Amino acid sequence: MTEVNMTNSHEAKSFTGILLIEEVEGSEKFTSRFFRLNKEIGQLEYFTDDPVKSADSLLIGSFNLQFLSLVEDASVIRPKLTHGFYIMLCGQKHFLVASNDEERSNWIKAIVDSFKTSDAQLRYRFSSGNCNVDSSTILGFDDSLSKTGYCVKQGLKRKNWKRRFFVLDSYGLAYYISDEETSPIKLIKLADICQARISVGIHLHRAHVFEVVTPQRVFYIQADSAFERESWINAINRGAGFFRRSQVKSIRSTASQACIASQ
């Protein structure tokens, strides 16, 4: 276990230290990273090393805590993860490990305090079991692209079919046990969706089945009618297509700004 070296107070504007992070979800492989929590803007960044002490330090990633729905001790859901905790952002769990219980508690308190005091929280919206923000502030995602409703989904391991509540928004396609739940079972990110399409020749005894194709997995979902199947397929493909176009525009904009700055 890498020792955590924190010289922070909860009144400070930032909170720093070394944590282990599971960078690939479910891999159970943890990497030591230097974390910096900016309480004023609600941003948790992690680097290869302390950027103040090392000029070679690289920013690996960051979490925007305006989308935080939960942060807590991981001992219940992953009891073998000693001194572990997790943060949940829009339905996805990110597991971190401190060097002892006290430092784990300090990090949890700092993250919760940051979320409470961050200006970004003013833009946070949590309703109808959907971890969401005003979609127009993120990607220009129009509300007409969103969709919610019940479908039946096939499980990954047991291959059984269960009725779930689905929400399509600017982050992706999430599904919940019911429309009363506030934490999704899973979020399929828009960035991961290759396409949605009619399922042919696989589930012959089920009507109105469609597929959501990702690089890692194909999700099989059954709509209540042919009309609903078509509606879901169109909505998902529009959302994924919009996301890809927005990324292209962002890259072009960044490139244009770089050209202007170099002139």
Side-chain angles (χ1 to χ4, degrees), residues 47-52 54-59:
F47 303 80
T48 54
D49 201 353
D50 184 346
V52 175
S54 173
D56 296 326
S57 177
L58 298 175
L59 176 65

Side-chain angles (χ1 to χ4, degrees), residues 115-161:
F115 172 70
K116 288 180 179 179
T117 59
S118 169
D119 290 339
Q121 188 195 10
L122 297 175
R123 298 189 297 275
Y124 182 85
R125 181 160 56 101
F126 192 84
S127 63
S128 301
N130 180 20
C131 179
N132 197 4
V133 296
D134 182 355
S135 299
S136 63
T137 65
I138 301 173
L139 299 171
F141 197 95
D142 190 271
D143 286 341
S144 64
L145 298 174
S146 302
K147 184 174 174 62
T148 63
Y150 278 94
C151 291
V152 179
K153 189 190 78 68
Q154 185 186 50
L156 175 61
K157 295 180 179 179
R158 296 184 179 181
K159 305 300 181 184
N160 54 343
W161 294 77

Side-chain angles (χ1 to χ4, degrees), residues 196-213:
R197 65 193 183 195
I198 293 175
S199 185
V200 179
I202 299 176
H203 304 289
L204 300 178
H205 300 293
R206 287 186 173 270
H208 321 312
V209 176
F210 65 96
E211 303 171 0
V212 177
V213 182

Side-chain angles (χ1 to χ4, degrees), residues 2-256:
T2 304
E3 182 179 356
V4 175
N5 178 21
M6 293 188 296
T7 55
N8 305 282
S9 69
H10 289 294
E11 291 73 27
K13 293 181 180 180
S14 64
F15 199 78
T16 63
I18 297 172
L19 293 170
L20 302 184
I21 179 171
E22 185 182 45
E23 293 180 323
V24 178
E25 184 180 2
S27 67
E28 298 186 354
K29 294 181 180 179
F30 287 79
T31 306
S32 177
R33 299 298 187 195
F34 183 86
F35 280 77
R36 181 174 65 193
L37 172 63
N38 187 323
K39 293 184 177 183
E40 289 190 314
I41 63 173
Q43 194 83 6
L44 180 62
E45 303 169 315
Y46 55 102
F47 303 80
T48 54
D49 201 353
D50 184 346
V52 175
K53 297 180 180 179
S54 173
D56 296 326
S57 177
L58 298 175
L59 176 65
I60 303 297
S62 64
F63 300 114
N64 191 335
L65 298 182
Q66 78 177 75
F67 308 136
L68 181 73
S69 58
L70 185 65
V71 53
E72 67 177 13
D73 183 333
S75 59
V76 174
I77 61 175
R78 291 180 72 169
K80 294 183 179 180
L81 199 62
T82 308
H83 316 311
F85 66 101
Y86 69 92
I87 58 177
M88 181 181 287
L89 295 97
C90 294
Q92 185 172 2
K93 295 185 180 72
H94 302 274
F95 288 90
L96 306 165
V97 177
S99 65
N100 57 54
D101 286 342
E102 180 182 359
E103 284 163 350
R104 173 175 60 187
S105 298
N106 287 340
W107 272 106
I108 290 174
K109 185 179 188 307
I111 292 170
V112 170
D113 289 346
S114 174
F115 172 70
K116 288 180 179 179
T117 59
S118 169
D119 290 339
Q121 188 195 10
L122 297 175
R123 298 189 297 275
Y124 182 85
R125 181 160 56 101
F126 192 84
S127 63
S128 301
N130 180 20
C131 179
N132 197 4
V133 296
D134 182 355
S135 299
S136 63
T137 65
I138 301 173
L139 299 171
F141 197 95
D142 190 271
D143 286 341
S144 64
L145 298 174
S146 302
K147 184 174 174 62
T148 63
Y150 278 94
C151 291
V152 179
K153 189 190 78 68
Q154 185 186 50
L156 175 61
K157 295 180 179 179
R158 296 184 179 181
K159 305 300 181 184
N160 54 343
W161 294 77
K162 293 185 177 180
R163 195 164 179 80
R164 301 301 188 200
F165 184 72
F166 285 79
V167 175
L168 174 68
D169 62 13
S170 59
Y171 293 99
L173 182 66
Y175 54 91
Y176 302 73
I177 293 177
S178 74
D179 59 355
E180 296 180 352
E181 294 294 319
T182 57
S183 295
I185 298 171
K186 186 175 181 65
L187 171 69
I188 309 169
K189 297 178 182 178
L190 285 180
D192 293 334
I193 296 175
C194 300
Q195 66 170 321
R197 65 193 183 195
I198 293 175
S199 185
V200 179
I202 299 176
H203 304 289
L204 300 178
H205 300 293
R206 287 186 173 270
H208 321 312
V209 176
F210 65 96
E211 303 171 0
V212 177
V213 182
T214 74
Q216 298 79 25
R217 175 184 171 188
V218 177
F219 294 83
Y220 295 101
I221 303 168
Q222 182 181 20
D224 289 341
S225 66
F227 176 83
E228 272 299 296
R229 177 176 64 181
E230 192 69 18
S231 177
W232 274 111
I233 289 174
N234 289 337
I236 293 167
N237 285 334
R238 285 199 308 269
F242 180 86
F243 178 85
R244 287 190 288 271
R245 289 193 298 274
S246 72
Q247 296 304 294
V248 171
K249 289 179 181 178
S250 177
I251 293 170
R252 288 173 177 169
S253 176
T254 302
S256 297

